[in-house]
Amino acid sequence: MIGYITLGTADLEKAAAFYDALLGTIGATRFMEEPDYFIAWSKDEDQAALSVTKPFDQKPATVGNGVMVAMYFETPEQVNAFYDKAIELRATCEGQPGFRPQDATSGFYAGYFRDLDGNKLNAFCMVE
């Protein structure tokens, strides 16, 4: 159902380097680009995409309170690796990987972080 998600950025070049490195770890590559304005990554043109853009109205990019992009993975190990890569790329922690609630041993497993512009993302999986 979701076609793509767009995040605002104040620095397209910096955001592009961050997402090239981070999304490259899961096989996503740039598939659409408008120089100096917009870049989109996906694993395949028929799959959901994540994009970054300078705001069309030329006002500063801002972070939506309560807005988050959730990236689905198959295993906790994949969640951990993606989260760790984001932190390595200077993302900030918003909740280390683990089960939610913390005392669970199955169910929802996620790690939360903010990208270089402050956009909130998480990596998650469901564990039986």
Side-chain angles (χ1 to χ4, degrees), residues 5-7 50 67-71 119-123:
I5 295 167
T6 300
L7 301 173
L50 186 137
V67 175
M68 180 178 66
V69 175
M71 308 287 289
N119 296 298
K120 188 173 181 180
L121 293 90
N122 90 354

Side-chain angles (χ1 to χ4, degrees), residues 32-102:
M32 191 183 301
E33 194 166 349
E34 178 77 28
D36 300 319
Y37 174 64
F38 167 88
I39 301 169
W41 295 261
S42 184
K43 290 183 179 182
D44 188 290
E45 289 185 18
D46 294 338
Q47 291 189 6
L50 186 137
S51 63
V52 293
T53 188
K54 291 183 178 179
F56 181 76
D57 64 7
Q58 299 181 355
K59 294 181 181 175
T62 59
V63 178
N65 188 24
V67 175
M68 180 178 66
V69 175
M71 308 287 289
Y72 175 76
F73 292 89
E74 297 286 332
T75 68
E77 294 77 18
Q78 291 171 330
V79 168
N80 295 345
F82 194 75
Y83 170 89
D84 289 345
K85 183 65 175 183
I87 299 302
E88 176 188 316
L89 294 167
R90 299 182 47 218
T92 56
C93 176
E94 284 284 314
Q96 293 184 347
F99 285 103
R100 304 310 195 263
Q102 292 179 343

Side-chain angles (χ1 to χ4, degrees), residues 2-3 5 7 9 13 21-22 24 28 30 60 64 69 75 81 87 92 108 110 112 114-117 120-121:
I2 294 174
I5 295 167
L7 301 173
T9 184
E13 185 175 316
L22 182 61
R30 294 182 191 193
V69 175
T75 68
I87 299 302
T92 56
F108 187 73
Y112 299 83
R114 289 191 184 269
D115 71 7
L116 305 180
D117 286 293
K120 188 173 181 180
L121 293 90

